Structures are given as structure tokens and as C-alpha cells.
Amino acid sequence: MATVVALPSTFPGGLDAEPSDHFGQCDLYTLVTVDGERVEDVRTLPNPPHGQGGCLAPVNLLATNGVNILIAEGMGMRPLSGFDQAGIMVLHGGGKRTVREAVSALVTGQLQRFAQNNVCGGSHGGGCH
């Protein structure tokens, strides 16, 4: 069964893009559809401005685009809770250098669930990062 994985990425996105450090401030999201260890599709989505839905705008965007898993380096507690409520599993990226490396780490079981100690405080008190 295919899984849609989202990764906050730097422009222009894609498998060779660098993951963004903070999901809410990324240039865009690279969406990778994987089936087992095989990549079936790669596409990008622009990151909506915070003014249009605040910290939860990316949660809603990714949920409406069929995302099952988000791989992120950093985010605040509010969006992490939003992903949980939307049924999107959030995994910590582990400092991978490219989207391709992060997806490879995912399909080989090397990534861990995003934990409380991975949450960043951010500049908004609740951490929109």
C-alpha cells in the first residue's frame, strides 16, 4: 500500500533538495509517494503564509493532500498536536542532508517518532516553527 510522505524542503524541492530545519518556515513541502522501498511519485506544495490559518495552515494543507507521514527536524507543540489530531504521524528527520536520504531512512526503519524533546519553543510562544 502506498504512503504519502511530506518533508519540509528548500526551493526547488524534490528528492535532491535539502530538508528545511523548521517545518512551518520552509520554502515548500516535497511530497513523496512510496510503496515499500520504491518511490512512485514526487511533487511539491508551496508553504502557505502563516497569516492564512496560523501554525495549523500547513497541517490542513498536508492533510487535504493525503499525507500519512511528515518527516521534520523541528516544530512547535501546537502543530505537532495538530498533526496528531489529523492522523499524520510525525517522525524526526535525524539530520539527513537530502529528502532522498530522509525517505531512505524512513523505508529502512531508521527514523523515530517526533518526541517532546524535539519540540522547539519558537518565537511565537507556542512554537510555529
Side-chain angles (χ1 to χ4, degrees):
M1 180 176 193
T3 301
V4 180
V5 182
L7 294 99
S9 309
T10 58
F11 187 80
L15 292 175
D16 295 321
E18 184 178 333
S20 179
D21 288 339
H22 295 286
F23 101 99
Q25 298 174 2
C26 68
D27 295 335
L28 49 82
Y29 298 95
T30 297
L31 274 53
V32 181
T33 304
V34 294
D35 190 355
E37 292 188 18
R38 189 182 71 215
V39 172
E40 291 188 342
D41 186 50
V42 179
R43 61 189 176 106
T44 60
L45 287 173
N47 185 13
H50 267 55
Q52 299 176 2
C55 296
L56 297 180
V59 174
N60 297 329
L61 173 73
L62 297 176
T64 59
N65 278 276
V67 171
N68 308 103
I69 297 172
L70 173 74
I71 300 173
E73 293 298 322
M75 75 172 58
M77 192 63 202
R78 185 170 178 213
L80 182 59
S81 295
F83 282 116
D84 186 48
Q85 290 174 1
I88 297 174
M89 182 189 324
V90 180
L91 301 176
H92 190 263
K96 302 302 181 205
R97 293 178 302 198
T98 65
V99 168
R100 184 184 315 274
E101 286 181 11
V103 170
S104 178
L106 168 70
V107 299
T108 57
Q110 298 175 31
L111 300 182
Q112 302 294 318
R113 280 195 89 122
F114 206 90
Q116 294 283 344
N117 64 330
N118 300 122
V119 173
C120 49
S123 59
H124 303 284
C128 282
H129 285 290

